[in-house]
Amino acid sequence: MKTTRKLAALVAALVVASVPLRATASDAAPGSATVFTRAYDTASKNVTLTFDADWWSPGNPDEVLRILRDNGITAAFSLTGRYVEKYPDQTRTLLAAGHKLINHSYDHPYFSGLSQSERWSELDQAEAAFNRLGFTSGGWFRAPYRDGYQDASVNRDLAARGYYVNFDWTFDTTGYEGASLDTILARVRQYTVPGATIVMHLSNDSTDTAALPSIISTLRGMGYGFTDPYHAVTQGLIGAKYAALGAQRSALGPPRSGEMAATAAGTSAVQWFDAGRIYWRNNLGAFEVHGAIGGKYFGLGSVTSFLGYPKTDETTTPDGKGRFNHFEGGSIYWSPNSGADLVYGAIRDKWSELGWERGFLGYPISDEVGVTGGRASQFQGGNVYWSAATAAHEVHGAILSRYLQLGGTSSSLGLPVGDEHDIDGGRASDFQHGTITWNATTGVVTVTNR
């Protein structure tokens, strides 16, 4: 016997409480942008290549991209909004190749001398120019002239506008000054350290493009390899998880923040990405949460909620029709027909006993809610009710339809005290103060109070 969504939804009118309230404080948006002058990994001999562009000239993006492609290097390009507006074709060429875009302001002012509203206007105008071409910086910024990059007020204002990564640099080749190849390579040899971020410039006057093949070969001769900006801002087990998932090409997308403490205890961490987060706890490991399940989890308070930390990545359900994450305190399931819903405790245990989503109950279609005398969750094929006195039991089909018509848990029947079971000629469910039976031959449903 199958209940309909319409009948199952009738119970929604009876709820008197919802899931536990969101907690506060931890896993909140950063209050200040994280400044990266080098990669997190300063032990391995890897460097990150980056290019700045203002707007006075376009440079030679095609040649830069050819050299990077031939050497298997993913770089970052910090572009001003005016460059993007003036050279849209060059911008599309650069970013379509998979390199990281960084917001370099709209027209390259000194940031330390601007007010908060002026800083935000610079960010917003540049981002609007990126968006018109279908791109976004994803909350990454680089200070023009390297001015104020360590200024606390600048980094607070960046974070308040959603820019959590201040992607600075370790040294400049000075190609923008027209430096000779010998000068550029001397700086490479002098200033390169493990994890270094090297800045070059994309302009007609810069000698960096012509020097780029020699820069790359010199670095390799020094024993250095190349990482990319996406990996440069991840580390440890969170970084390893991100890499294993496919890094920026995964469902998470590019990093949105640096790594942060997830709680004040100091034994956990979290990193935000464009489409989700990765959490690590020392006794659990690192797991990702994203999409609709992530939206539900973050809305509840993530690690500060009763769910605690994730214990799995988002995973395809055994029936192949949905997705789930398990957490310390319960689970969130999603399917195209049901959305993302929370199930936990004794109700989750009963659902598990009945076969999870492959059982007759199917997927949850509500979070667990308070009802008269106890708790309840709605599923595609029925409801599960719980109280401390009665334990968890399911009600479904024609019996559930009649039960809801009578008022469900607020009716004279009270809560179910057993699952639906066979009787001579049909099926029955027992309640605290009565029984509902269903006749398999006639389809008649009978209510008996006691």
Side-chain angles (χ1 to χ4, degrees), residues 315-327:
T315 305
T316 301
T317 52
D319 75 346
K321 299 177 181 178
R323 308 280 288 174
F324 71 89
N325 276 86
H326 290 325
F327 301 86

Side-chain angles (χ1 to χ4, degrees), residues 194-232:
T197 297
I198 302 171
V199 63
M200 293 165 278
H201 286 78
L202 189 67
S203 68
N204 292 355
D205 296 331
S206 174
T207 52
D208 284 321
T209 299
L212 185 55
S214 296
I215 292 171
I216 293 170
S217 62
T218 297
L219 286 164
R220 285 183 170 145
M222 295 166 61
Y224 281 88
F226 299 88
T227 188
D228 59 60
Y230 307 102
H231 289 85

Side-chain angles (χ1 to χ4, degrees), residues 174-210:
T174 68
Y176 74 97
E177 296 179 335
S180 68
L181 178 60
D182 287 344
T183 298
I184 290 173
L185 296 184
R187 292 181 65 82
V188 168
R189 295 186 186 99
Q190 181 178 359
Y191 296 116
T192 299
V193 291
T197 297
I198 302 171
V199 63
M200 293 165 278
H201 286 78
L202 189 67
S203 68
N204 292 355
D205 296 331
S206 174
T207 52
D208 284 321
T209 299

